[in-house]
Amino acid sequence: MASSRSTRASSAVDRLKQRTGNPLYSMARTGDGHFYLSEAPGSPPLCAPMELDDFVTFVKGLGPQEQPRMSKNDIKFEKQLVRKKPAA
């Protein structure tokens, strides 16, 4: 189970690296299984050691956020939801 925990956390850090363009972000794991993030290996931590779910949520909240992909049908549907202004 430890490897799946690390994989989930490291995947979140990899996505953060892609979103921010900073390849130096580094994740570390404490002896009691908590995770923390730093801007580069050996740099001070950006957060206190956290449980896996809290760590992944923290990392997802950093940097620019990805916009959800929208299909042509989604775009058309959203346009239909917007009320048109009445002619003056």
Side-chain angles (χ1 to χ4, degrees):
M1 182 167 148
S3 65
S4 66
R5 290 173 50 88
S6 296
T7 300
R8 185 167 164 223
S10 63
S11 293
V13 174
D14 287 341
R15 288 189 300 274
L16 174 63
K17 290 177 182 181
Q18 291 175 352
R19 285 194 319 265
T20 62
N22 180 0
L24 298 178
Y25 276 113
S26 178
M27 171 195 78
R29 187 170 177 191
T30 64
D32 60 356
H34 291 89
F35 298 88
Y36 64 90
L37 181 72
S38 60
E39 287 189 282
S43 295
L46 296 173
C47 61
M50 302 179 193
E51 291 286 335
L52 174 66
D53 292 336
D54 295 332
F55 177 78
V56 171
T57 301
F58 172 76
V59 172
K60 283 182 178 180
L62 294 175
Q65 301 301 304
E66 294 178 358
Q67 297 297 320
R69 294 183 186 190
M70 296 184 69
S71 69
K72 290 179 183 178
N73 290 336
D74 293 332
I75 294 169
K76 287 179 183 178
F77 181 70
E78 280 197 359
K79 285 182 180 179
Q80 288 177 353
L81 292 178
V82 176
R83 293 184 180 183
K84 294 183 180 179
K85 294 181 182 179

